[in-house]
Amino acid sequence: MMQIQEVKHKEALTSNYAVAYAVKAADVDVIAVYPITPQTTIVEKLAEFVANGELNAELIHVESEHSALSAVVGASATGARVFTATSSQGLEYAHEILHIASALRLPIVMAVPARALSAPISIHGDYSDVMNARDTGWVIYIVASAQEAYDTIIQAYRLAESVYLPVMVAYDGFLMSHTVEPVELNDESEVRKFLPRQIRPYTLNPKRPVTMGPLASPDWYYEFKYQQVLALREAYKVAKEVDVAYGSKFGRSYGVVETYKIEDADYALVTYGGAAYGNARIAADRAREKGIAAGVIRVRLYRPFPTLEILKALEGVKAFAVVDRAIMFGSPAEGPLYKDIATAMYMNGIDKPAINIIHGIGQRTIYVEDLYKVYTMLKDRPGKEVVFMGVRI
Amino acid sequence: MKLYYRTLRDLPREELFAPGHRMCAGCGAAIAMRWITKTVGPNAIIVNATGCVEVTTTPYPETAWMHPYIHVAFENSAAVASGVEAAIKTLKRKGMWDAGDTKVVVIAGDGGTYDIGLQSLSGMLERRHGVLYILYDNEAYMNTGIQRSGSTPKFAWTTTTPVGTAIRGKIQWKKDIMGIVMAHRVPYAATASVAYVLDMVNKIKTALEYTAEGPTFLHIFTPCVPGWRYPENKTVEVARLAVETGYFPLYEWDHGKLILNPPSNNHIDKSRRKPLKEYLKLQGRFAHLTEEEITELEKELDAYWQYLAKLAQL
Amino acid sequence: MLEFRFHGRGGQGMVTAAQVLATAAILEGKYAQAFPEFGPERRGAPVKSYLRISDNPIYLREPVLNPDVIVVADHSLFVAENPLDGAKPTTILVVNGVYKTSLKTYYIDATSLSMKILGRPIVNTALIGAVIKATSVVSLSSVIEALRKYFSGKLYDLNVKLIETAYQETKEL
Amino acid sequence: MTLPKATQLPIGAVIPEPGSTRKNITAGWRTLRPVINDERCIRCQLCWLYCPEGTIVEKRGVFKVGNRTYDVKYEINYDYCKGCGICANECPTKAIEMVPETT
């Protein structure tokens, strides 16, 4: 029988624009944003949607990122569906409110095209900003394509509103934020069915007055922090369910960890984000041409950390390298993902050669050739070390 | 201002600020909170900046607030309120707001307004959110234990402006926050004092109603027992003397017009004001002042009154 | 997979040129990726942009190092930059005005043409026409459709006219 | 007293009960207690107006004091009075006296 394959319509969008389309589809009520490169084009697109009446939302042009997050905290507490976005210094500036947003248990969604931190000032991409936010109680996705950015923003609302936690969707500044790619957009009415309006247990409403953000003494404070621990554990389960539900409705799902040719791999690269992952796949192909059984693991859900999936993916490999695009100065190993995986392995009694590659800092180009070399390193001299790659030493 | 309440008999009777809170005995801000909550009525959302009022009214698992209330941080109450206001607007438009004409009221101290919160306040005023922002001014960081702020008056003792042999109290003048707010061309801004409750509640109500047009601002003078070092039964007396000596004039900025309110409307003529000394001598924070220093303060006060008189003529 | 590198100056529209071609390819059901050499875009400063078009999903996120097609908006860029860097023997050069190299070259007087039709020396649209003529990577009609995402009203009509004329007038050197 | 477990508390440290500081009796803060002499009280309302705690209670009814009749009477809710003495200080007829608390 002949199959008629439907050619799905795709738009040519940058990841930033894809995010804006997802926000529109989610029928967001309040958006507060402040311009910062490379995030700005998200706001520009959203402003266009609002100006054209395509999105029925209040767009608050705040005077800082700190106020952007503060305003969406206020709006979310009032029961609105909210969105904000920032990068780099903006995320640092708003850092204080990151902790508060998660502790107040507000389902805020924020996009972060990841960018390096000053000084010296760099407008280019790396993950220093996102990694500084990793312990703030937010759910953090790091996505690898404009399509995934679109899909994940929609998933993020469903997740956030199920577990009452804010969700950050991060991706490569410039390398994705400004790269036009094909994106299949969902029917907006279907997105809205996927994201039904929920009655939250507590919002600011004179009919049901509650106090939010009180003072907690040592007798009470810890319990609320522990609640957040539990909420993130719950988010780990729900994120997977949401991804499956999204996949069955819209035909695309990603898992919390994505793997490439890992099943029979001896050597693996573990990484996050579009450039490191995309180029690692090509490098793995090249390595396989040379007889090295190479595979790639991409962490999509970064917080809560998908320990089980990563350990499972690494089960069969002889050695692996973690490619980090951020530096944790003064750490025993300077890569943040490396630290997470090392902890996960140690706690599970696993000991394997594991190299930490630091690369792509301030958008230093991660060449396929560089990553290919990492596979040869893993094969020729597997050990435990931190390698600063691509830097003039 | 509109006269919503002509006599004390007209004042709202229902208490909307619960006792049992931990504000100091004799706290000036507590008097203000009582009258703010009563006057705005139940259909309002309170956004509170970090500060004395916040920590003393929300000791988990208790709250003194009977309104929906949120505290987020120190410097951002105006931004949070912007979000609350925008949310109500959109939810109304989408038919998802069931509470009717809900007002948004910020309550913030002088630290959260003059200093760390000035940026978000300016942003909120510039964007013209329909929010009533109420500053309760106790002229220092009292919550952290009496440190100087941009609102602390010249020569005042605080723990960070001690009276030493080389420097005696705060060196700088108090910032003119009303001038800053008025420069944003808000529909309405006013000063008020807990000693003049009738004037204060009419201004609260006026400012609240004007939020339909845009942001409004109230600067309420709230003496602080431990910070100003006076006996706890003297709060209203100190607040009254601040007005009677001309130190804290009562006036309002109504759509570009500056109007001095009684009794300050009589005070352009210096002879109608009580000597500043009467206000200063009640307070331990000014106990070290020399005659020369008092003269300097009086000179500056006269200059300020000349400035106000000019504004009132415009 | 076909890889393109565009050389221009801030304001000449070379980033948009890559995006328009990517959009046209995506309209045709192909995979494409267009991105600028990222930086704060400043009028007059040399800029590069990149384009990949493929029948399969594109995972590679390197700058284009060995382009199949090099597009140069302005002769002076041969002095300021080295647009031929990484060129292969099979690489095709598309250039505004006649410029002789060892590469197979297509040229168009994009400056005169854009001045004539748009009244402004914004050469990107003309060069898109030249690229289609040189490579047939997408159809002219797809590009005209893709242009709708970037221009509207009279400006759209003028750019369509510009692209069609450029397509006709592009010659092989 | 056993305090609730983390899972038993509302999320986000929300306090769902408005005005719940009423559970906290602040009577113990007092060293001096205000006592109203109803004979001297002229019902000017100033104590009620200025009390920071809202502890001056306005009672409606018919109250005969000497040869005068009032429709209102002021009493003090000693549960919350912190004894600041503003009421006594502001009273124009000195109808309120601050007397030492006896334990």
Side-chain angles (χ1 to χ4, degrees), chain A residues 10-12 123-124 144-145 174-176 178-182 274-275 278-279 281-282 363 365-369, chain C residues 19 22-24 26-27 29-40 58-63 65 149-150:
Chain A
K10 287 180 180 178
E11 294 283 335
I123 62 155
H124 287 86
S145 69
F174 283 118
L175 295 171
M176 291 173 63
H178 286 58
T179 298
V180 168
E181 298 170 38
N279 291 348
R281 282 176 64 121
I282 315 284
Q363 212 173 313
T365 302
I366 305 171
Y367 290 105
V368 171
E369 185 60 23
Chain C
Q19 290 181 348
T23 305
I26 290 166
L27 282 174
K30 296 190 174 85
Y31 290 88
Q33 181 194 68
F35 54 103
E37 166 115 317
F38 313 101
I58 301 165
Y59 289 96
L60 184 62
R61 288 185 192 272
E62 269 179 358
L65 304 174
K149 307 266 180 198
Y150 298 84

Side-chain angles (χ1 to χ4, degrees), chain B residues 62-107:
Chain B
E62 295 164 11
T63 178
W65 300 91
M66 300 173 71
H67 288 86
Y69 166 101
I70 186 167
H71 157 254
V72 178
F74 201 173
E75 67 284 54
N76 64 352
S77 50
V80 174
S82 302
V84 172
E85 183 247 21
I88 294 171
K89 240 189 213 170
T90 323
L91 294 176
K92 264 188 190 167
R93 217 160 50 216
K94 293 182 174 178
M96 288 163 17
W97 186 252
D98 63 357
D101 183 19
T102 303
K103 305 287 188 187
V104 185
V105 179
V106 173
I107 294 170

